[in-house]
C-alpha cells in the first residue's frame, strides 16, 4: 500500500516485492488528494507499472473509505484510518531481514555442496608433501566455512530475539499469530543450518581421516621399504660370515662380527615398524590387509635373520669350545713323557689326566665320536681325533699289564677297586649294565624323537593356521568389501551386484571362528601338542559352519565362472598382489579341513602311548565325520525332481551308488525270478527320516564345469522300512522292504564293508524309532522275521 508520500514509499514496496514476492498477492494503491501528490504518484507508477503488472494485480483506491472495503479497520494502522497500533515500516524491515536470512542460508548450503564436491573429486598425490599441503589447505577452508556458518547462526538467533521482543510489545492476537509464523520460519531455517553444519562436520571428518590415513600409509610404506632393504643387507652380511673357524682367534672374530649384526639398530627399527603397523591396523585403517601383509613380511624376514644369527652364533660357540679343548688335549699329549709310561702308576696317572680332560669338556665334546665327527668334520680331522683315542688305548694296555690276577688267590670283595679293571671280562661284569644302559638310551631317544616330531607338527599346525586366517582376511577385505566400494561400482559386473552371500557364502563366519577362537586354542597347545585333541573336540559344533559353506560352493563356483575375467576381479587381485585367483582362495576352507585330519593323524602316530591318545583319536574321528558329512551334503544339493523340502527329511547320514532290484510283492513273482532281471544303477541317500533312490546323471559341459546331478526316483519313509541283512547267494546284498513287504528292494553294495556300514546306520534309525515310538508298530517283528527268512 502506498504511503502519504508516494515517492518515498514506492521504493520500499519495490524492495519488499523483490525480497518476498511469494507473500504479496494483491496491491492496493491509495491515490493522494493534492495535485502535486497525484502527479508524483502517476510519475512513480509510470516507472514501475510494467514490473507490477507482470507480477501481481493492483487496485487503485481514491479514498480511505474504499480501503476499508478491502481491509478491516482492526487490521489497519491509525495512519490509514484503522485502530491497529502498528508501524508498517518496521514490519517491512523485519520481513526483509527474514528473507535476507533465508537467502543467506541457501547460499551457505550451495557453498557447502560445492566444497564437498571438490573434496570428493580431488585426485590424491603420490607424495607425502602433497598430502600434507591438502590437509592444511582443506583444514583452513573448513575453518573459514565454519566461521561463516557461525556468523549466519548468530544472525538467526538475533532475528529470533527481535521476534520475541516484538511479540512481547504487541498484544493483538492476529499480530501474535503473524509473529509466531515468522518465528517458526526462522527456527526452521536455523535448524536447517544446524543440520547442514553437522552433516558437513561429519563429511569433513571422514575426508580428513581418509587423508590422514593415506598419509600414514605413504609414510609407513616408505619406512617399510627402507627397513626391508636394511634387513636384506643384514641377511647378506650374515651369509657372508663363515660358519666354521679353523682357529680359536678366527672363531672369536666371527663371533664378534655376529654380535655387531645382532646389536645393530636396524633390527630394533624393524620391530618398531611392525608395532606401528599393528597400531594402524588396530585403528581400523582402510588399508588393513596391506598393512597386515607388510607386518607379516617384515616379521618373517626379521625372524629368519634372527634365527640364522642365533644358530650361527651357537654353532661358532661350540666350535670355539671344541677348538679350545683340542688345543688343551694336544698340549697335554705333547707334555706327557713316554718314559713314565713304563710303570703301572705312571700309565694310570697319564690315563687319569686324559679322562679328567674329557670329563671336564663341554657336552658337545663328550658326544658320540661319529656324531661329533659328522657335525665338526671341517675342523675335527681323523688324525687329530685319533691321537687322543690311540693314546688312551695305549695307556690302558700299559696300565693293565701289571694288574692281572694271580691264580689260586682268594677272590676280593665286590667293592674292591679292582672291579674297575678290564680284567673282569664284559660277559661277567659289563653285560647286564651295558644292555640296561643301551635299552634305556634307546627308549630315551625314541621319546625325544616323538616329542620333537609332535612339537614340529604343532608348530606347522599353528603357522599354517595363522596363514589361513590372514588369507581369509585378505579375501574378505580385498574382494568382498570392495563390492560395496563406490569407486569401483563402474567396473563391477552386473552379475555380482547384491551377490556377496552367494559368491562368498558364510566365509565371514568361518574367519570369525578361526581368528577369535580356534587360533588361540591352537597357540595354547604349543608346549603340550598332545592336548590339541581336546581343543578340536571342544569346538566340534563350531566346525559345522563348514557344512553350510560347502553346500553353497557349487553356486559360488557357477557365479565365479561368470565374472572371473571381469575388470573388477582383476583390479582387486592387482591391489592385493595375489599370485592365485579368487577361486583358489575360495577353495582354502575345503583344503583346510583335509589338512586338519592329516596333521591329527601324524600327531596320533607318535602319541600311541600317551594318556591323551584317546582325545587325539576322538578329534581325528570328528574331523573325518565332518569331511564325510560335508561330502554327503554337497551330493544332496545336486538332487533334482524332489517336490518336497529335503530339509524335512533330516540330516544326510550316508550316500552312495548301488545295484538295485525292485520286486512288488502284490503278484506271484518270487525272488529267484526277480534275480534274472538286469539291476538298476541307483544312488541312495539315507536321511534320518527317509531313504531316497536317485539316478545319477552327468551334466554336459567342459571338463572343469561338468557336475553330477541326481534325478529323484523313489522315497521310502524310515517309519515303514524293514531290512533283511543277508541274502542267500551274495554276501554283498541285503534287502530293504517297505509297507509290510509290499515293495522289496534288493541292494548290492560294492564291498562287504560298505554293506555293513549301511546296515549299521539303518539299524540305528530303526532302533531309535522303536525307542521313541515313532516307527511302525510292525517294524521290529518284521526285523526278526527277516532273519528267519534268511535260513529257510
Amino acid at each position: 500500500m502506498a504511503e502519504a508520500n508516494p515517492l518515498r514509499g514506492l521504493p520500499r514496496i519495490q524492495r519488499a516485492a523483490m525480497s518476498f514476492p511469494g507473500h504479496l498477492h494483491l496491491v492496493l494503491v491509495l491515490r493522494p488528494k493534492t495535485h502535486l501528490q497525484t502527479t508524483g504518484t502517476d510519475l512513480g507508477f509510470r516507472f514501475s507499472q510494467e514490473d507490477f503488472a507482470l507480477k501481481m494485480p493492483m487496485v487503485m483506491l481514491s479514498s480511505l473509505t474504499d480501503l476499508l472495503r478491502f481491509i478491516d479497520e482492526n487490521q489497519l494502522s491509525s495512519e490509514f484510518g484503522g485502530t491497529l497500533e502498528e508501524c508498517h515500516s518496521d514490519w517491512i524491515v523485519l520481513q526483509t531481514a527474514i528473507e535476507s536470512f533465508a537467502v543467506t542460508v541457501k547460499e551457505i548450503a550451495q557453498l557447502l555442496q560445492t566444497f564437498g564436491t571438490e573434496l570428493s573429486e580431488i585426485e590424491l598425490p603420490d607424495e607425502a608433501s602433497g598430502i600434507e599441503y591438502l590437509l592444511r589447505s582443506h583444514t583452513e577452508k573448513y575453518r573459514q566455512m565454519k566461521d561463516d556458518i557461525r556468523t549466519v547462526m548468530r544472525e538467526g538467533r538475533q532475528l529470533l530475539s527481535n521476534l520475541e521482543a516484538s511479540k512481547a510489545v504487541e498484544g493483538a492476537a492476529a499480530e501474535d499469530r503473524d509473529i509466531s509464523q515468522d518465528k517458526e520460519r526462522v527456527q526452521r531455517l536455523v535448524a536447517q543450518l544446524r543440520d547442514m553444519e553437522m552433516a558437513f562436520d561429519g563429511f569433513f571428518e571422514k575426508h580428513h581421516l581418509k587423508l590422514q590415513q593415506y598419509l600414514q600409509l605413504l609414510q609407513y610404506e616408505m619406512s617399510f621399504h627402507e627397513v626391508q632393504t636394511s634387513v636384506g643387507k643384514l641377511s647378506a652380511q650374515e651369509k657372508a660370515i663363515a660358519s666354521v673357524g679353523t682357529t680359536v682367534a678366527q672363531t672369536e672374530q666371527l663371533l664378534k662380527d655376529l654380535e655387531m649384526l645382532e646389536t645393530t639398530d636396524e633390527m630394533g627399527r624393524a620391530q618398531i615398524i611392525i608395532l606401528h603397523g599393528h597400531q594402524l591396523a588396530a585403528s581400523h585403517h582402510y588399508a588393513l590387509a596391506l598393512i597386515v601383509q607388510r607386518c607379516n613380511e617384515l616379521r618373517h624376514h626379521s625372524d629368519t635373520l634372527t634365527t640364522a644369527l642365533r644358530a650361527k652364533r651357537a654353532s661358532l660357540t661350540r666350535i670355539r669350545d671344541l677348538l679350545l679343548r683340542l688345543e688343551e688335549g694336544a698340549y697335554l699329549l705333547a707334555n706327557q713323557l713316554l718314559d713314565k709310561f713304563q710303570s703301572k702308576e705312571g700309565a694310570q696317572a697319564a690315563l687319569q689326566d686324559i679322562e679328567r680332560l674329557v670329563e671336564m669338556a663341554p657336552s658337545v665334546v663328550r658326544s658320540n665320536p661319529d656324531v661329533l665327527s659328522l657335525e665338526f668334520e671341517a675342523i675335527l680331522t681323523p688324525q687329530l681325533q685319533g691321537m687322543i683315542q690311540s693314546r688312551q688305548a695305549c695307556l690302558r694296555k700299559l696300565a693293565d699289564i701289571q694288574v692281572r690276577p694271580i691264580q689260586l688267590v682268594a677272590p676280593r670283595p665286590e667293592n674292591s677297586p679292582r672291579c674297575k679293571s678290564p680284567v673282569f671280562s664284559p660277559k661277567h661284569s659289563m653285560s647286564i649294565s651295558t644292555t640296561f644302559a643301551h635299552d634305556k638310551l634307546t627308549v630315551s631317544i625314541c621319546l625325544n624323537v616323538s616329542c620333537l616330531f609332535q612339537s614340529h607338527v604343532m608348530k606347522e599346525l599353528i603357522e599354517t593356521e595363522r596363514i589361513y586366517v590372514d588369507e581369509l582376511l585378505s579375501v574378505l577385505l580385498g574382494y568382498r568389501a570392495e563390492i560395496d566400494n563406490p569407486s569401483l561400482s563402474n567396473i563391477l559386473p552386473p552379475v555380482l551386484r547384491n551377490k556377496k552371500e552367494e559368491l562368498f557364502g558364510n566365509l565371514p563366519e568361518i574367519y570369525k571362528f578361526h581368528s577369535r577362537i580356534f587360533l588361540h586354542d591352537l597357540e595354547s597347545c604349543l608346549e603340550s601338542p598332545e592336548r590339541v585333541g581336546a581343543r578340536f573336540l571342544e569346538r566340534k559344533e563350531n566346525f559345522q559352519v563348514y557344512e553350510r559353506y560347502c553346500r553353497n560352493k557349487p553356486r559360488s563356483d557357477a557365479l565365479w565362472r561368470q565374472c572371473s575375467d571381469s575388470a573388477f576381479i582383476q583390479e582387486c587381485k592387482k591391489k592385493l598382489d595375489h599370485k592365485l585367483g579368487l577361486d583358489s582362495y575360495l577353495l582354502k576352507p575345503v583344503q583346510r579341513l583335509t589338512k586338519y585330519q592329516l596333521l591329527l593323524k601324524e600327531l596320533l602316530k607318535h602319541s600311541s602311548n600317551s594318556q591323551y591318545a584317546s582325545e587325539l583319536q576322538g578329534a581325528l574321528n570328528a574331523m573325518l565325520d565332518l569331511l564325510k558329512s560335508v561330502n554327503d551334503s554337497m551330493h544332496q544339493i545336486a538332487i533334482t525332481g524332489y517336490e518336497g523340502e529335503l530339509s524335512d527329511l533330516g540330516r544326510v547320514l550316508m550316500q552312495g551308488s548301488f545295484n538295485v532290484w525292485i520286486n512288488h510283492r502284490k503278484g506271484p513273482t518270487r525272488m529267484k525270478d526277480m534275480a534274472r532281471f538286469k539291476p538298476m544303477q541307483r544312488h541312495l541317500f539315507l536321511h534320518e527320516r527317509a531313504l531316497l533312490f536317485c539316478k545319477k546323471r552327468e551334466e554336459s559341459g567342459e571338463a572343469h564345469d561338468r557336475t553330477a546331478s541326481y534325478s529323484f526316483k523313489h522315497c521310502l519313509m524310515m517309519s515303514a522300512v524293514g531290512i533283511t541283512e543277508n541274502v542267500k547267494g551274495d554276501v554283498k546284498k541285503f534287502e530293504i522292504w517297505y509297507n509290510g513287504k509290499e515293495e522289496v528292494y534288493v541292494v548290492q553294495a560294492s564291498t562287504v564293508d560298505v554293506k555293513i556300514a549301511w546296515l549299521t546306520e539303518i539299524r540305528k534309525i530303526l532302533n531309535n524309532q522303536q525307542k521313541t515310538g515313532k516307527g511302525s508298530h510292525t517294524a521290529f517283528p518284521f526285523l526278526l522275521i527277516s532273519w528267519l527268512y534268511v535260513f529257510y
Side-chain angles (χ1 to χ4, degrees):
M1 287 179 293
E3 296 180 346
N5 188 347
L7 292 178
R8 185 169 57 90
L10 184 59
R12 296 189 179 182
I13 297 177
Q14 291 176 335
R15 288 198 302 272
M18 294 175 60
S19 300
F20 41 92
H23 283 199
L24 297 179
H25 304 283
L26 177 65
V27 176
L28 301 178
V29 180
L30 183 62
R31 288 179 176 274
K33 294 181 180 181
T34 65
H35 176 74
L36 181 61
Q37 291 176 339
T38 303
T39 303
T41 303
D42 293 339
L43 181 62
F45 273 47
R46 281 198 299 271
F47 282 115
S48 60
Q49 187 174 9
E50 294 181 0
D51 296 336
F52 279 108
L54 292 175
K55 296 180 181 179
M56 64 200 74
M58 291 189 302
V59 177
M60 304 300 294
L61 304 176
S62 59
S63 65
L64 292 176
T65 305
D66 294 337
L67 179 61
L68 293 175
R69 287 186 301 175
F70 290 90
I71 303 175
D72 189 80
E73 63 179 359
N74 294 328
Q75 297 180 357
L76 291 173
S77 60
S78 57
E79 58 185 328
F80 294 105
T83 61
L84 184 65
E85 297 181 358
E86 169 187 315
C87 182
H88 279 273
S89 60
D90 294 341
W91 178 83
I92 292 175
V93 170
L94 182 61
Q95 294 299 321
T96 304
I98 294 174
E99 289 300 326
S100 176
F101 176 72
V103 171
T104 305
V105 171
K106 183 178 179 180
E107 292 174 352
I108 289 291
Q110 292 175 348
L111 289 175
L112 293 179
Q113 181 67 32
T114 303
F115 186 41
T117 304
E118 177 187 346
L119 294 183
S120 60
E121 294 179 355
I122 192 169
E123 185 175 353
L124 299 180
D126 295 331
E127 297 179 356
S129 59
I131 297 297
E132 291 174 349
Y133 171 77
L134 286 180
L135 281 171
R136 290 193 303 269
S137 60
H138 290 174
T139 302
E140 182 179 356
K141 193 168 183 180
Y142 165 76
R143 290 172 180 170
Q144 292 176 356
M145 295 293 296
K146 289 286 290 184
D147 292 338
D148 293 340
I149 293 174
R150 293 190 185 100
T151 302
V152 178
M153 189 72 73
R154 286 195 297 269
E155 182 181 344
R157 295 194 185 99
Q158 184 62 40
L159 275 176
L160 289 175
S161 300
N162 294 340
L163 288 171
E164 288 288 343
S166 299
K167 187 175 181 180
V169 173
E170 302 295 339
E175 184 67 14
D176 288 345
R177 284 196 301 270
D178 293 339
I179 293 177
S180 298
Q181 292 175 358
D182 292 337
K183 182 180 178 181
E184 290 176 0
R185 186 185 180 196
V186 174
Q187 287 175 341
R188 284 197 304 270
L189 291 172
V190 170
Q192 290 175 6
L193 187 61
R194 188 183 300 112
D195 293 341
M196 285 189 296
E197 182 183 16
M198 293 177 61
F200 176 66
D201 288 343
F203 171 80
F204 184 82
E205 182 179 355
K206 292 180 181 179
H207 172 77
H208 196 73
L209 177 62
K210 178 182 177 182
L211 286 182
Q212 287 180 329
Q213 290 186 344
Y214 184 69
L215 177 61
Q216 291 171 351
L217 182 62
L218 286 179
Q219 294 172 342
Y220 183 80
E221 280 285 289
M222 186 183 304
S223 302
F224 166 79
H225 288 296
E226 290 177 357
V227 174
Q228 188 182 42
T229 303
S230 301
V231 172
K233 292 180 180 178
L234 290 178
S235 299
Q237 294 176 12
E238 180 272 327
K239 292 176 182 177
I241 296 176
S243 302
V244 177
T246 55
T247 63
V248 175
Q250 183 183 8
T251 305
E252 288 180 345
Q253 182 60 43
L254 293 176
L255 286 171
K256 289 180 180 179
D257 295 340
L258 280 179
E259 185 177 0
M260 291 179 62
L261 292 182
E262 289 176 334
T263 57
T264 183
D265 295 336
E266 298 303 322
M267 298 299 294
R269 283 189 61 196
Q271 297 302 319
I272 293 175
I273 295 300
I274 294 173
L275 178 60
H276 185 206
H278 287 304
Q279 291 173 347
L280 292 178
S283 63
H284 305 287
H285 198 284
Y286 73 91
L288 175 63
L290 177 61
I291 293 173
V292 171
Q293 179 183 349
R294 295 304 195 199
C295 289
N296 292 338
E297 290 177 8
L298 194 55
R299 185 188 298 109
H300 173 72
H301 293 325
S302 300
D303 291 346
T304 301
L305 177 59
T306 301
T307 302
L309 289 172
R310 290 176 179 174
K312 185 167 289 187
R313 181 169 44 124
S315 176
L316 288 173
T317 301
R318 287 180 298 172
I319 290 174
R320 181 189 60 186
D321 295 340
L322 178 61
L323 289 172
L324 286 172
R325 292 300 172 180
L326 289 177
E327 287 183 359
E328 292 177 7
Y331 181 81
L332 176 65
L333 294 178
N335 284 276
Q336 286 183 337
L337 301 178
L338 295 179
D339 56 346
K340 293 184 178 180
F341 297 165
Q342 305 303 319
S343 65
K344 166 192 168 184
E345 292 78 10
Q348 287 181 341
L351 184 60
Q352 288 176 359
D353 291 338
I354 294 176
E355 290 175 347
R356 189 180 303 110
L357 176 67
V358 173
E359 290 175 357
M360 293 175 60
S363 59
V364 64
V365 181
R366 298 197 302 270
S367 301
N368 183 285
D370 295 334
V371 177
L372 190 65
S373 177
L374 181 63
E375 186 173 1
F376 302 101
E377 61 180 355
I379 61 171
L380 190 60
T381 61
Q383 295 80 3
L384 187 58
Q385 182 182 357
M387 289 174 61
I388 298 177
Q389 295 177 353
S390 299
R391 181 66 63 89
Q392 282 182 311
C394 179
L395 290 174
R396 286 194 182 98
K397 289 180 181 179
L398 293 173
D400 291 342
I401 291 176
Q402 300 180 14
V403 294
R404 291 188 179 276
I406 301 174
Q407 297 293 332
L408 303 179
V409 176
R412 294 181 181 273
E414 293 182 357
N415 58 355
S416 172
R418 291 183 179 271
C419 292
K420 298 181 181 180
S421 174
V423 72
F424 297 97
S425 62
K427 68 179 182 180
H428 292 100
S429 63
M430 299 296 291
S431 59
I432 297 177
S433 61
T434 303
T435 303
F436 175 76
H438 180 269
D439 293 342
K440 185 176 180 181
L441 179 62
T442 302
V443 172
S444 176
I445 291 174
C446 292
L447 290 175
N448 289 336
V449 170
S450 297
C451 293
L452 289 173
F453 190 86
Q454 289 176 357
S455 179
H456 172 73
V457 173
M458 196 65 224
K459 288 179 180 179
E460 181 183 357
L461 180 58
I462 293 174
E463 184 61 27
T464 54
E465 184 75 10
R466 290 170 179 162
I467 296 174
Y468 177 53
V469 168
D470 289 343
E471 289 176 339
L472 292 182
L473 179 60
S474 68
V475 170
L476 292 176
L477 294 179
Y479 285 99
R480 191 177 186 275
E482 291 297 303
I483 292 180
D484 298 327
N485 188 348
S487 63
L488 299 180
S489 60
N490 58 326
I491 60 174
L492 181 69
V495 71
L496 272 185
R497 298 187 186 278
N498 302 320
K499 292 293 181 66
K500 285 195 301 186
E501 305 302 328
E502 184 173 328
L503 182 60
F504 298 95
N506 61 329
L507 198 64
E509 189 177 5
I510 294 176
Y511 168 74
K512 186 181 298 183
F513 163 60
H514 284 274
S515 63
R516 297 183 181 181
I517 299 175
F518 197 60
L519 177 58
H520 301 295
D521 289 346
L522 295 180
E523 290 174 340
S524 67
C525 298
L526 181 60
E527 302 299 330
S528 53
E530 66 278 0
R531 296 306 308 274
V532 75
R535 300 293 180 267
F536 274 92
L537 292 175
E538 290 172 4
R539 308 302 179 187
K540 182 178 178 181
E541 297 299 326
N542 299 90
F543 276 100
Q544 299 301 319
V545 296
Y546 281 90
E547 284 197 29
R548 281 189 288 140
Y549 183 82
C550 292
R551 282 199 299 268
N552 182 69
K553 196 67 174 65
R555 297 171 58 203
S556 175
D557 292 341
L559 184 59
W560 159 252
R561 287 192 289 271
Q562 299 179 50
C563 63
S564 58
D565 297 330
S566 66
F568 172 78
I569 295 294
Q570 299 305 320
E571 179 66 20
C572 293
K573 180 181 178 182
K574 180 181 178 182
K575 285 184 178 180
L576 292 172
D577 196 21
H578 277 178
K579 302 298 185 293
L580 302 176
L582 175 60
D583 55 333
S584 300
Y585 288 95
L586 293 178
L587 191 61
K588 294 286 185 180
V590 182
Q591 296 172 337
R592 190 59 184 166
L593 285 183
T594 307
K595 184 73 172 179
Y596 285 140
Q597 60 97 11
L598 293 176
L599 292 174
L600 286 172
K601 283 181 180 178
E602 293 298 322
L603 283 175
L604 186 61
K605 187 187 302 182
H606 293 82
S607 305
S608 56
N609 297 326
S610 172
Q611 57 178 328
Y612 304 108
S614 60
E615 292 181 352
L616 288 171
Q617 184 64 54
L620 176 60
N621 293 339
M623 287 296 103
L624 292 175
D625 290 344
L626 178 61
L627 284 172
K628 176 182 174 300
S629 177
V630 166
N631 183 58
D632 294 343
S633 298
M634 294 184 70
H635 282 278
Q636 180 195 12
I637 63 177
I639 296 177
T640 60
Y642 183 76
E643 296 182 355
E645 290 289 339
L646 291 173
S647 59
D648 296 338
L649 304 181
R651 194 164 57 92
V652 178
L653 303 177
M654 304 281 285
Q655 57 85 24
S657 297
F658 299 87
N659 292 329
V660 178
W661 293 265
I662 302 179
N663 181 24
H664 297 276
R665 290 283 178 96
K666 294 181 180 179
T669 308
R670 299 178 59 83
M671 179 64 67
K672 63 180 181 180
D673 300 325
M674 186 183 68
R676 290 197 296 268
F677 294 100
K678 183 179 179 180
M680 296 177 292
Q681 300 295 320
R682 291 290 182 263
H683 201 90
L684 274 60
F685 290 89
L686 178 61
H687 293 254
E688 292 174 324
R689 302 184 187 89
L691 177 65
L692 299 186
F693 288 78
C694 300
K695 184 175 182 179
K696 185 177 181 180
R697 302 184 186 277
E698 196 76 21
E699 298 290 344
S700 60
E702 299 295 334
H704 65 278
D705 292 339
R706 189 178 296 123
T707 57
S709 65
Y710 304 95
S711 178
F712 170 73
K713 295 297 182 183
H714 302 288
C715 175
L716 307 181
M717 301 307 297
M718 295 304 295
S719 58
V721 163
I723 57 173
T724 301
E725 298 196 2
N726 294 291
V727 176
K728 189 175 181 180
D730 193 338
V731 295
K732 294 184 292 184
K733 289 182 178 179
F734 62 96
E735 276 189 357
I736 300 175
W737 33 270
Y738 194 60
N739 283 337
K741 291 197 173 183
E742 290 183 2
E743 300 175 15
V744 178
Y745 299 81
V746 178
V747 181
Q748 184 184 45
S750 57
T751 63
V752 176
D753 292 337
V754 173
K755 167 189 168 180
I756 293 174
W758 274 74
L759 289 175
T760 301
E761 288 296 331
I762 294 175
R763 279 201 303 269
K764 288 180 182 179
I765 295 175
L766 297 180
N767 290 336
N768 290 335
Q769 289 179 350
Q770 186 66 24
K771 291 178 182 178
T772 58
K774 294 181 180 178
S776 172
H777 294 295
T778 58
F780 190 64
F782 281 156
L783 184 61
L784 295 177
I785 294 172
S786 68
W787 280 94
L788 298 175
Y789 172 77
V790 177
F791 297 102
Y792 287 95

